[in-house]
Amino acid sequence: MHEDQPSARAKRMPRDEKRPFVESTLAAKVARMEEILAAWKRLRRKTVDFWPSTREELRNWDDPARGIFKFSDPWITSPKKDDPLQKTLVELMAQFESVRRKLKNFKEAGDPEIIEKANKDLKQLNSELMSQISRLQLVATEFRKEIKRKIPDSKYLRREWNLF
């Protein structure tokens, strides 16, 4: 690892500089996870993007182009909740867990559960539309009867106007 790489410099940073660097890196990781999940939902399928499923994978995730650097220290992904200095890390890890829970509810378009629900919804919609068509046919028949009573030789009673 070269000296000028941020992940290498972080180890040599003074404590007061290291904390903001670590917090911004962890925030970038959580933000990237949210972007990935939003893209998966939009596409209705998973892509090849890296998704950390454990805290260790989160810690080892390294993508310098996105401002994401790996951590060697496990306390970063397991902060103490009662330590006021680690409040930001606690909040970021809560966000990480929240995004991870959202993935558990994610269903791909080809998922049998999704297909079954879509079929059920379409059958219900079809039933409602058939009922609506039947009601409109009854109304049209009543209109034709009324036209025939009022204007027996109306053009609307000719064969080309017969809807049925």
Side-chain angles (χ1 to χ4, degrees):
M1 200 175 286
H2 296 89
E3 281 295 314
D4 59 342
Q5 289 182 334
S7 56
R9 275 189 280 134
K11 287 185 176 187
R12 293 166 191 73
M13 285 183 178
R15 183 177 291 246
D16 59 326
E17 291 177 24
K18 186 176 184 178
R19 181 175 307 279
F21 178 79
V22 167
E23 290 171 353
S24 69
T25 298
L26 187 55
K29 289 180 180 190
V30 172
R32 178 67 183 143
M33 288 177 70
E34 289 172 341
E35 288 173 16
I36 292 169
L37 185 59
W40 288 355
K41 284 183 178 181
R42 194 174 52 256
L43 296 171
R44 297 190 135 203
R45 64 179 176 82
K46 292 180 180 178
T47 59
V48 295
D49 292 305
F50 176 75
W51 183 269
S53 55
T54 65
R55 288 176 180 240
E56 184 177 356
E57 287 178 0
L58 179 70
R59 206 172 55 240
N60 291 324
W61 187 4
D62 192 46
D63 189 352
R66 288 195 162 88
I68 294 173
F69 304 99
K70 68 190 235 175
F71 308 126
S72 58
D73 197 346
W75 72 265
I76 294 170
T77 53
S78 300
K80 296 176 184 162
K81 292 182 177 167
D82 57 346
D83 186 349
L85 293 175
Q86 295 185 7
K87 181 181 179 204
T88 305
L89 293 177
V90 170
E91 291 169 357
L92 288 168
M93 288 309 298
Q95 274 184 278
F96 166 70
E97 294 299 338
S98 172
V99 174
R100 242 179 31 172
R101 276 191 303 277
K102 289 176 189 174
L103 179 66
K104 288 180 184 175
N105 298 328
F106 176 74
K107 303 279 189 219
E108 293 191 47
D111 189 307
E113 188 178 314
I114 295 290
I115 292 171
E116 186 177 320
K117 183 180 181 327
N119 283 340
K120 182 181 173 188
D121 291 347
L122 288 172
K123 284 179 182 178
Q124 181 179 352
L125 178 62
N126 191 27
S127 174
E128 290 170 7
L129 290 172
M130 293 299 287
S131 175
Q132 191 176 32
I133 288 169
S134 295
R135 286 193 305 273
L136 289 172
Q137 285 176 333
L138 287 173
V139 168
T141 302
E142 291 300 315
F143 279 141
R144 286 178 62 83
K145 285 180 184 176
E146 186 64 19
I147 290 171
K148 189 174 187 176
R149 193 178 65 75
K150 297 256 182 183
I151 314 167
D153 61 339
S154 171
K155 71 176 186 177
Y156 298 111
L157 297 175
R158 293 188 194 131
R159 186 176 195 94
E160 67 265 13
W161 285 93
N162 193 352
L163 299 175
F164 318 112

